Amino acid sequence: MKYLPDVSVLLLEVTGSRRVEVNEEGAPTEDWFTDYQLKEIIRGRDRGLSWKNTRLPKMIPFAF
């Protein structure tokens, strides 16, 4: 099995979620925002990111 050196694996627990109206490219829409709590670092390290108000994106951009 190969590992990517910069990839961390974290176990998160959902502590809350809510549906919020957002403006997406000039069009009002509703989306989910979720709060997570870090439970365990399985591999790598925690980079000190906030896991509050995380928005589930409809698409993940491709990095060139």
Side-chain angles (χ1 to χ4, degrees), residues 17-62:
S17 66
R18 62 209 151 280
R19 197 161 181 94
V20 178
E21 187 172 315
V22 294
N23 186 343
E24 191 169 293
E25 297 182 12
T29 186
E30 289 186 344
D31 210 344
W32 285 96
F33 284 80
T34 306
D35 297 333
Y36 299 94
Q37 176 183 0
L38 177 63
K39 298 300 282 183
E40 181 181 350
I41 300 171
I42 297 172
R43 184 177 170 282
R45 59 189 170 101
D46 178 17
R47 298 176 186 217
L49 300 174
S50 172
W51 296 105
K52 304 289 183 192
N53 291 321
T54 303
R55 182 178 176 194
L56 177 66
K58 293 183 181 175
M59 68 173 201
I60 300 172
F62 178 76

